[in-house]
Amino acid sequence: MKKNATPKIDYTLILIVILLAIVSIFTLYTLQPYMDQRFYLKQTMWYTVGTIAVVVIMLFDYDRFRQVAWILYGLGITMLLMLVFHIPPAVKTKGSWGWFDFGVMTFQPAEVMKIFLIIALAHLFVRHKEKFKEATTKTDLWLVTKIGLVALPPMLLIAFQPDLGSFLVLFSIVVCMLLVSGIRWRIIFSMIGIAIITIASFITLFLAFPDKVEQVANDYGFEHVQSRFTAWIDPDSNTRGDAYQLIRTMRAIGSGQLAGKGIGEMQVSNIPEQQTDMIFTAIAEQFGFIGSSLLLILFFLLTYRLIHIGLQSNDPFGSYLISGMVGMFTYQIFQNIGMSLNLLPITGLPLPFISYGGSSTLTYMMAVGIVLNIHYRTKVYMFDS
């Protein structure tokens, strides 16, 4: 059985990322007249740093991540604990203890924790499969237990910052990796049912006892979660408060209509966090439905390419890694655009590869580097189906 050991670089994935980078930098450039900082220059710098990170990751076999999986996981947990206990350089920004401030730059540990969790869970899945060759209901339940023991600590630490958006991203990563883990579907459906009941119960309680829910949220530091949920349910109730950002966002998107107003033509200005969480509004207002659709096509191609590479990989560790990346990207894309259209509550998540942000951009580039590494080192055997 011959094998093709010739390294393969996925130029399609690279091209998609380059196009997304161009969209990001150009959009930030068009926002320059409305911003007090040159975000497009900073974003260019972060893409340069991210490219260097991709090159460094490509130098090593991705299987090496298995050897340091728990070291990376422990490093991530340590950083999150520093945030929870307010240990310098931890700082409070916009009501959340989610950042390190190093003077010349800020860093968000929750972003890299996404990559660390994916690596740890992929390693956990592979070790479990190696130990239990024959899967049973008992071994599947034991695997779910181990997943919970690994995933819950970072999720809870991030929730206590509080950072609901990153919490949901980690949850999506776990769900996506579970779906490809081979666990019996009745177990997965049972977990989905519990999640649906929990969410439905929360919504019912909120609608039935809004004052009490608000009091509990305020007592435990989750008042911003409650206020954003209220703004989503009834955006017209407080147009000067929590719903201000949402209302202006929808006006900007709607004003773009089919073909947009043109480059730099944005009448709906002063949208909070437009360079980060709400950057989709700048694209929709300037380029309309057509420009927004082209961006969605790019995201679809990105997701398709990730899934294709994951299916091509004949190494379980590589496939699990990519499944986690798919969960991370797809949820963030869906959530960010969904909250801009008022389909989902605002959670403060950036749009992958498009929104300004050093920690997030570097994390996405690291993820792409790992995927490219997997594709680069995937061996193709003759007569492979």
Side-chain angles (χ1 to χ4, degrees), residues 25 29 50 57 70 80 88 98 106 181 186 203 224 235 243 309 316 332:
I25 295 169
Y29 176 78
I57 290 173
W70 298 122
L80 293 179
T106 57
S181 65
R186 61 174 176 268
I203 295 176
H224 76 293
I309 295 173
Q332 288 200 213

Side-chain angles (χ1 to χ4, degrees), residues 294-329:
L294 291 175
L295 177 62
L296 291 178
I297 290 173
L298 276 180
F299 281 133
F300 171 79
L301 293 175
L302 172 69
T303 306
Y304 168 79
R305 197 61 200 162
L306 295 179
I307 295 174
H308 180 73
I309 295 173
L311 293 175
Q312 276 190 327
S313 175
N314 43 38
D315 175 32
F317 181 63
S319 297
Y320 285 130
L321 285 175
I322 294 179
S323 67
M325 307 297 180
V326 170
M328 178 179 70
F329 283 127

Side-chain angles (χ1 to χ4, degrees), residues 8 15 32 46 80 107 109 222 230 236-237 282-284 293 301:
K8 305 176 298 299
L15 176 61
Q32 181 58 37
W46 281 114
L80 293 179
F107 174 72
F222 291 96
T230 302
D236 295 324
S237 62
I283 297 173
S293 299
L301 293 175

Side-chain angles (χ1 to χ4, degrees), residues 6 10 15 28 44 68 78 105 148 154 165 185 211 224 238 248-249 260 262 274 287 327 343:
T6 304
D10 194 319
L15 176 61
L28 290 170
T44 302
V68 296
T78 301
M105 61 170 287
W185 282 103
D211 295 335
H224 76 293
N238 190 3
R248 297 194 69 82
T249 294
Q274 191 170 20
F287 307 105
L343 298 176

